[in-house]
Amino acid sequence: MDYRTHYPAALRALSHLIDGALALGGFAIIALVFCNASLRGFAGFDLAWSLEVTSFLLLWSTFIGCAAAAARGAHMRVTEIAEHLLSRSGRRALAIAIDVVIAVLLVTLIYTGINISAHTWAQKTTVLYWPVGLLYASMPAGMALTLVFHVFNFWFDIRNPVLPDAAHSDGGEVRR
């Protein structure tokens, strides 16, 4: 379920900002790789800095993309086994337990990512001399944004139980 229609204005704006950043980052990645490959093939040289910029953009896009997927409720769920083995209340309890585990995992990734980023901040990249910690900061930044969306989605699912005749029992169907 796409949760964005249920978000307050600030959270919806954050989701749109992330979507825009991902679109720009994706376009920049494609443009840099195409230009660099074209230069290498036609002119016999490449832009050394483009490899570093592309890796930064790829990593940041990956972790920020995790937040965009969380806002859409688009992370994969396999529900077939639980639907056949558990009652509706059992599936709801399992979904709550899974959401709590995910939140704990996200907090752990934020903490670990901050430590890795802090320990590597003094190192510099080869060409642009950017802090390597900036590359690793993508994980805690992306996971923090993901946690914001996950907590709202979890709260929304708790307040809006699954419809009895819903096609999917992931907690996203709103009772009307």
Side-chain angles (χ1 to χ4, degrees):
M1 171 191 169
D2 192 342
Y3 291 90
R4 294 174 299 168
T5 56
H6 304 287
Y7 285 165
L11 208 52
R12 197 173 312 121
L14 178 62
S15 176
H16 291 309
L17 181 68
I18 288 171
D19 290 345
L22 287 171
L24 287 173
F27 177 76
I29 291 167
I30 291 168
L32 281 170
V33 169
F34 178 79
C35 289
N36 204 32
S38 297
L39 281 173
R40 191 177 306 133
F42 297 123
F45 71 94
D46 64 352
L47 305 171
W49 59 266
S50 73
L51 298 174
E52 284 185 11
V53 171
T54 301
S55 19
F56 269 78
L57 287 170
L58 278 169
L59 202 56
W60 275 89
S61 295
T62 298
F63 286 110
I64 300 299
C66 183
R72 289 172 172 77
H75 285 287
M76 185 177 75
R77 290 187 181 206
V78 180
T79 59
E80 288 80 12
I81 295 171
E83 286 176 356
H84 293 296
L85 295 179
L86 300 174
S87 66
R88 187 175 302 125
S89 61
R91 289 191 305 264
R92 185 159 167 80
L94 179 62
I96 290 170
I98 289 169
D99 283 340
V100 169
V101 169
I102 290 170
V104 169
L105 178 65
L106 289 170
V107 169
T108 303
L109 288 171
I110 292 166
Y111 176 77
T112 303
I114 289 170
N115 284 336
I116 292 170
S117 181
H119 284 91
T120 58
W121 201 266
Q123 299 173 16
K124 303 293 182 198
T125 60
T126 309
V127 177
L128 294 174
Y129 301 108
W130 289 352
V132 173
L134 182 62
L135 184 67
Y136 291 113
S138 61
M139 184 169 76
M143 296 302 100
L145 290 169
T146 303
L147 183 63
V148 168
F149 292 122
H150 179 74
V151 166
F152 182 89
N153 299 350
F154 179 47
W155 173 80
F156 181 82
D157 287 344
I158 293 292
R159 294 196 58 208
N160 300 287
V162 176
L163 287 168
D165 300 324
H168 302 285
S169 61
D170 65 356
E173 294 80 12
V174 180
R175 186 179 304 272
R176 302 213 187 269

